[in-house]
């Protein structure tokens, strides 16, 4: 055990010291560390890839547990013909996606390039380009802190929603009731992809929405699209020092469309009478251009140029170098307030805010 700064463990690169730091690389060590923190009455923060956390500069006073178990196991054929794939919670997500495609399995290709660990993906039903974890997740193996036992949640039991799940709803200030140990997916053994659900991706691949494409080509195209928006980690590119999308796309009553400019992007959702709007479009139309907050741009005084909206995508708040958590949140507050004033719609943060708030 040792204490250390948490900033290097996050993709945004902000965060002060941990009270106690533990790195656990097996399921047994993970559960033992959680049990020890609970027995001592210490607060517990779980960190793996750190791609969905903004941690206060004051740090975290309790125990910070880094999930570091690894492994991807291609399993047996299930009764419906799909193939089971088990992935350790601490395994880097994009590497797991690459391994499934190399094994001739499709279903995760549209989720390529997403930073972070496999165990984090079901927590908020990670999704991109029309695909989300709920489409293929079979089950999650978790440690239940209340009982000190290990259990499994099937897909239906996780109560998936838009960037939401039971695992997220039972998290308070980053401390989960259930700690994910591993996840299992059910994938197709085929060379082509799952049906392409996202219009931009379909156009880039030259197929119609709903059609399939070569799975490897889908992965390559998704990686290229994400890189063009600063959404693939690159140590040389400050636009990638972020949590990815800082705000979720708001889901609002369909009647709200009447108050928006004609042509405002909107997408259907499962609940009748509701639509999903584009947070990026709202931010842009509220007057927050790419690079907002950089020296020489609107809002530069907010964070001294240390934090700013990405120069590639208005949904990402980036650490331009030496940013503090206060700098990141200053940009977020300005954007949220501006969208609320312009459209009457309140944006909600996607990453967990640890020890700080908007």
């Amino acid at each position: 055990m040792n204490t250390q700064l948490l900033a290097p463990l996050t993709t945004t690169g902000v965060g002060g010291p941990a009270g106690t730091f533990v790195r656990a690389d097996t399921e047994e060590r993970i559960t033992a560390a959680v049990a020890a923190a609970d027995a001592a009455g210490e607060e517990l923060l779980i960190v793996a890839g750190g791609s969905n956390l903004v941690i206060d500069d004051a740090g975290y006073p309790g125990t910070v547990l880094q999930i570091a178990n690894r492994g991807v196991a291609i399993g047996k054929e299930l009764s419906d013909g799909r193939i089971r794939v088990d992935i350790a919670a601490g395994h880097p997500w994009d590497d797991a996606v690459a391994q499934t495609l190399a094994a001739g399995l499709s279903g995760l290709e549209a989720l390529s390039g997403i930073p972070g660990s496999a165990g984090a993906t079901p927590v908020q039903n990670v999704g991109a380009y029309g695909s989300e974890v709920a489409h293929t997740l079979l089950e999650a193996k978790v440690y239940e802190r209340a009982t000190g036992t290990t259990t499994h949640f099937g897909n239906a039991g996780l109560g998936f929603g838009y960037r939401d799940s039971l695992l997220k709803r039972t998290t308070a200030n980053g401390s989960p009731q259930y700690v994910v140990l591993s996840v299992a997916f059910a994938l197709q053994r085929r060379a082509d992809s799952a049906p392409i659900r996202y219009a931009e991706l379909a156009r880039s691949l030259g197929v119609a929405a709903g059609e399939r494409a070569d799975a490897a080509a889908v992965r390559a195209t998704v990686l290229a699209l994400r890189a063009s928006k600063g959404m693939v980690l690159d140590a040389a590119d400050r636009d990638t020092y972020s949590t990815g999308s800082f705000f979720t796309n708001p889901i609002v009553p369909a009647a709200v469309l009447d108050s928006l400019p004609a042509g405002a992007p909107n997408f259907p959702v499962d609940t009748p009478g509701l639509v999903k709007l584009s947070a990026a479009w709202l931010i842009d139309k509220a007057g927050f251009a790419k690079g907002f907050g950089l020296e020489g741009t609107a809002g530069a005084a907010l964070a001294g140029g240390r934090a700013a909206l990405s120069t590639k995508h208005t949904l990402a708040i980036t650490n331009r170098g030496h940013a503090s958590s206060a700098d990141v949140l200053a940009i977020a507050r300005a954007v949220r307030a501006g969208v609320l004033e312009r459209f009457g719609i309140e944006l909600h943060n996607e990453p967990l805010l640890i020890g700080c708030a908007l």
Side-chain angles (χ1 to χ4, degrees):
M1 294 186 180
N2 64 290
T3 57
Q4 70 164 66
L5 285 177
L6 298 174
L9 303 183
T10 72
T11 54
T12 300
V14 299
T20 302
F21 179 75
V22 182
R23 185 178 186 275
D25 57 5
T26 67
E27 290 187 5
E28 292 75 19
R29 289 171 180 164
I30 292 168
T31 57
V34 175
D38 287 344
E42 295 183 358
E43 297 181 8
L44 178 68
L45 174 65
I46 303 295
V47 177
S51 62
N52 199 46
L53 297 173
V54 176
I55 302 174
D56 190 73
D57 298 305
Y60 189 81
T63 295
V64 176
L65 170 61
Q66 184 181 36
I67 305 292
N69 56 338
R70 298 286 191 272
V72 177
I74 310 299
K76 63 182 181 179
E77 183 173 321
L78 303 172
S79 59
D80 62 4
R82 294 182 298 170
I83 306 300
R84 180 184 174 112
V85 179
D86 287 275
I87 309 172
H91 199 94
W93 173 250
D94 189 58
D95 180 76
V97 174
Q99 287 197 44
T100 63
L101 288 169
L105 304 177
S106 76
L108 300 180
E109 55 281 343
L111 299 177
S112 294
I114 295 175
S117 66
T121 61
V123 175
Q124 65 174 45
N125 190 15
V126 164
Y129 295 101
S131 180
E132 59 186 24
V133 164
H135 293 154
T136 51
L137 188 101
L138 192 62
E139 65 177 15
K141 181 181 180 182
V142 304
Y143 175 75
E144 184 175 6
R145 294 169 66 185
T147 62
T149 60
T150 298
T151 188
H152 294 77
F153 281 112
N155 189 300
L158 286 166
F160 284 126
Y162 172 61
R163 301 296 177 269
D164 190 32
S165 75
L166 170 71
L167 301 175
K168 184 176 182 179
R169 293 190 294 273
T170 53
T171 297
N173 194 27
S175 191
Q177 178 180 342
Y178 302 102
V179 179
V180 180
L181 302 174
S182 67
V183 289
F185 290 84
L187 305 179
Q188 301 281 348
R189 188 177 294 284
R190 56 191 302 162
D192 58 358
S193 69
I196 305 300
R197 300 180 175 92
Y198 199 77
E200 181 187 22
L201 180 57
R203 286 195 302 271
S204 298
L205 289 163
V207 301
E211 292 183 353
R212 299 176 184 266
D214 177 78
V218 172
R219 172 173 167 78
T221 302
V222 166
L223 289 173
L225 287 170
R226 291 184 65 87
S228 72
K229 300 171 184 177
M231 298 291 187
V232 176
L233 292 177
D234 179 350
D237 184 357
R238 297 306 305 189
D239 273 323
T240 70
Y241 285 68
S242 75
T243 60
S245 298
F246 193 92
F247 296 106
T248 57
N249 291 322
I251 296 176
V252 300
V256 171
L257 291 174
D258 295 335
S259 66
L260 299 178
N266 63 93
F267 313 93
V269 296
D270 292 336
T271 305
L274 300 179
V275 295
K276 181 165 63 178
L277 304 178
S278 166
W281 184 91
L282 293 169
I283 291 167
D284 181 68
K285 296 305 179 185
F288 300 93
K290 297 171 185 175
F292 172 85
L294 289 176
E295 295 288 1
T297 71
L302 286 172
R306 295 179 297 272
L309 293 184
S310 166
T311 65
K312 302 181 180 72
H313 199 292
T314 57
L315 263 184
I317 300 176
T318 62
N319 180 349
R320 311 311 298 187
H322 308 295
S324 65
S325 61
D327 293 329
V328 171
L329 293 176
I331 299 297
R333 290 189 191 106
V335 169
R336 184 182 65 169
V339 170
L340 181 61
E341 180 180 5
R342 173 68 176 82
F343 297 111
I345 296 171
E346 184 172 21
L347 297 179
H348 297 280
N349 51 287
E350 184 167 325
L352 296 172
L353 308 181
I354 307 301
C356 50
L358 281 181

